[in-house]
Amino acid sequence: QVQLEESGGGLVQAGGSLRLSCAASGRTFSFYNMGWFLQAPGKEREFVAAVSKSGGSTRYADSVKGRFTISRDNAKNTVYLQMNSLKPEGTFVYYCAAGIYAMAVLSTQYQYWGQGTQVTVSP
């Protein structure tokens, strides 16, 4: 089992940047493929980005391509989501997830989840 804890959320103006972090503990971090999802109030979680076990492969939702970057540091047991040019879309909770499937885009394909970190982008 692996435990995940997100950090780095907050309030930012449109056009600004934030970097989210997700620290893992428990089983070997490098064993898992990692992903980031976002969830708006009352809606289902949506795929944002995924990174392979080694960090060599990444995948993004079309809505964030060119603006967000996912990366991982296996020595630090941490995955990151660099978010640039944020759009004024309101408040979301961002979750990191760990799973055995590479480049998975469905939330059901991930086995472990963090508690989430809230991001609010103001106009």
Side-chain angles (χ1 to χ4, degrees):
Q1 194 170 6
V2 62
Q3 292 79 42
L4 304 172
E5 183 174 2
E6 302 93 339
S7 61
L11 174 64
V12 62
Q13 287 188 323
S17 299
L18 275 178
R19 188 175 83 154
L20 305 182
S21 300
C22 174
S25 60
R27 292 192 64 180
T28 305
F29 176 66
S30 59
F31 179 78
Y32 293 97
N33 298 284
M34 300 297 295
W36 284 97
F37 286 72
L38 62 80
Q39 187 170 25
K43 295 189 176 181
E44 294 187 355
R45 291 179 188 179
E46 298 179 8
F47 171 75
V48 175
V51 63
S52 61
K53 297 175 186 179
S54 68
S57 297
T58 57
R59 185 174 186 177
Y60 297 93
D62 289 342
S63 59
V64 305
K65 281 181 181 176
R67 299 188 298 120
F68 289 13
T69 303
I70 188 172
S71 62
R72 66 190 295 165
D73 186 338
N74 286 343
K76 295 183 178 180
N77 289 354
T78 302
V79 62
Y80 304 98
L81 185 68
Q82 177 66 45
M83 306 187 294
N84 299 328
S85 302
L86 285 163
K87 298 181 179 180
E89 296 172 315
T91 298
F92 297 96
V93 177
Y94 281 80
Y95 296 91
C96 73
I100 61 174
Y101 301 106
M103 303 296 106
V105 300
L106 299 178
S107 60
T108 52
Q109 293 175 302
Y110 290 86
Q111 287 74 53
Y112 302 104
W113 292 84
Q115 294 299 308
T117 185
Q118 185 168 293
V119 174
T120 300
V121 183
S122 63

